Amino acid sequence: MTQLPAAFRHELEAAFEIPRLSVSARQKSTDGTEKFLFRLHDGEHIETVAIPEGSRLTLCISSQAGCALQCSFCATGAMGFSRNLALYEIAGQVREVALLTGSIPTNIVFMGMGEPLMNWKAVDPTLTVLNDPKGFGIGARHITVSTVGVLPGIVALGERKEQFRLAISIHAPSDALRRTLMPINTKYPLAQVIEAARVFDRRVTFEYVMLHGVNDLEEHAHQLADLAKRCKAFVNLIPLHPGGAGNFVPTTPQSIAAFARKIRSRGVEVAIRKSRGKDIAAACGQLRVERQRRRMPVGAEKDSDIQVA
Ligand code: SAH
């Protein structure tokens, strides 16, 4: 900012800094999905995934290092919670990817590591930085906050005047089953989460990860459709990414399609999420876990296609 007096610039430089996040690993899938593992100043690692699709570039960002929620199928849950990320570390993921790849993402999803609504203090101003024309200028409708259903956070998001999107990880259509998959259900039971979604003044998406023999039976499809109807939600069925946690088996693509048809037949909109970056362990927490397991030496990072078992 050469228009400012030199003395003032020195003062600014001494008083403030916007630290960079350093790239600890970078992997590109054969489908174009690219995953970044960033190392933070205190040695914590977080993941960011860039998913190109036609003219869109969706960035999946982390809001916490680790996660306290321990959903039974999730690799991040298995590693436990380290700490909340600061604003510059959340927005910094967008900045770093823009600097590293030369493209500014068109869409943002808070579906990386952590529970964004348990770090609202930092996520709230991050939404502003991402959306504001003086920041990244990404449209509010293109920014999705994904949550297990943290009720005060849903209210706070709903109070923002911008049209930020809300996605809720439902994963089971009854308290009894949801409790076994998502311990948070004890604190925020399904009925209250559904009610919060109903009064949220914008369209809500349900996320539902398909676990063979666990939550993919016919009765589940009907129960899920009823819940979605109650709050006019759109249902996103997610194929289980192998390499998460627990010993879950993915539902076959044919069975997922049949499950979707049952939901649709009840008048509920449903889509099957395309699984991306399977060869680079791109689901929540998987790269960090993978890296800890293999103890990849510094300098061994690859930015070409790699196969991860
Ligand atoms: N805590 C937030 C956001 C992070 S996880 C939330 O739970 O919504 C983003 C999504 O990825 C969630 O729906 C989560 O359940 C899902 N997920 C985690 N592990 C997965 C796996 N192995 N396969 C498919 N989806 C997974």
Side-chain angles (χ1 to χ4, degrees):
M1 292 193 280
T2 47
Q3 69 273 40
L4 300 179
F8 185 47
R9 272 185 278 152
H10 290 311
E11 241 175 82
L12 287 175
E13 205 172 310
F16 301 103
E17 60 168 349
I18 307 178
R20 299 283 308 260
L21 312 180
S22 62
V23 181
S24 162
R26 184 173 171 179
Q27 303 177 339
K28 197 162 190 167
S29 162
T30 47
D31 69 17
T33 302
E34 195 165 9
K35 183 146 182 167
F36 302 85
L37 186 69
F38 291 113
R39 190 175 48 248
L40 307 178
H41 66 89
D42 58 356
E44 286 295 337
H45 285 84
I46 55 165
E47 304 174 343
T48 307
V49 186
I51 308 154
E53 176 89 73
S55 59
R56 298 201 321 197
L57 176 63
T58 300
L59 201 65
C60 176
I61 60 175
S62 296
S63 54
Q64 298 180 317
C67 184
L69 298 175
Q70 307 211 297
C71 297
S72 55
F73 47 85
C74 178
T76 305
M79 70 180 72
F81 175 71
S82 297
R83 67 172 173 87
N84 279 328
L85 300 186
L87 161 59
Y88 83 89
E89 292 169 323
I90 308 176
Q93 296 166 60
V94 183
R95 176 178 177 231
E96 292 302 335
V97 171
L99 290 170
L100 289 164
T101 65
S103 6
I104 293 190
T106 57
N107 296 64
I108 303 284
V109 292
F110 283 79
M111 294 184 189
M113 296 165 70
E115 168 51 52
L117 296 186
M118 286 194 164
N119 186 15
W120 181 246
K121 200 170 148 267
V123 167
D124 185 22
T126 299
L127 291 171
T128 305
V129 170
L130 298 181
N131 174 240
D132 196 290
K134 289 195 230 101
F136 290 101
I138 300 167
R141 289 198 172 95
H142 296 159
I143 301 175
T144 302
V145 176
S146 178
T147 179
V148 292
V150 176
L151 298 174
I154 294 178
V155 172
L157 183 65
E159 280 170 357
R160 296 265 330 214
K161 61 181 191 317
E162 307 91 335
Q163 302 280 304
F164 297 117
R165 302 270 172 186
L166 172 67
I168 304 182
S169 295
I170 296 287
H171 303 326
S174 69
D175 278 318
L177 180 58
R178 196 164 186 263
R179 219 178 292 131
T180 67
L181 299 174
M182 305 173 69
I184 192 71
N185 192 74
T186 308
K187 183 157 186 196
Y188 300 121
L190 199 49
Q192 290 178 25
V193 174
I194 299 298
E195 179 57 19
R198 200 181 63 75
V199 300
F200 194 77
D201 68 351
R202 307 186 285 270
R203 185 65 175 275
V204 171
T205 300
F206 281 1
E207 295 171 272
Y208 196 90
V209 65
M210 299 293 295
L211 308 169
H212 172 73
V214 176
N215 65 356
D216 64 351
L217 310 181
E218 181 159 358
E219 67 197 74
H220 298 134
H222 295 153
Q223 289 170 323
L224 179 61
D226 288 347
L227 294 179
K229 257 191 168 162
R230 215 177 295 162
C231 44
K232 298 195 179 64
F234 178 96
V235 175
N236 228 325
L237 300 178
I238 311 175
L240 177 69
H241 229 279
N247 291 316
F248 296 98
V249 176
T251 304
T252 63
Q254 295 83 340
S255 302
I256 297 181
F259 196 87
R261 281 196 297 276
K262 284 182 199 112
I263 292 174
R264 200 168 292 126
S265 73
R266 297 211 159 196
V268 172
E269 270 186 88
V270 53
I272 300 169
R273 187 175 296 165
K274 241 197 266 173
S275 198
R276 301 286 301 267
K278 264 198 188 135
D279 54 340
I280 55 163
C284 198
Q286 293 183 345
L287 180 58
R288 176 170 144 164
V289 168
E290 175 67 23
R291 198 172 155 84
Q292 279 165 348
R293 212 179 283 142
R294 288 199 304 184
R295 301 197 192 288
M296 203 194 275
V298 177
E301 46 258 30
K302 299 188 175 190
D303 54 7
S304 56
D305 292 329
I306 73 155
Q307 285 297 128
V308 174

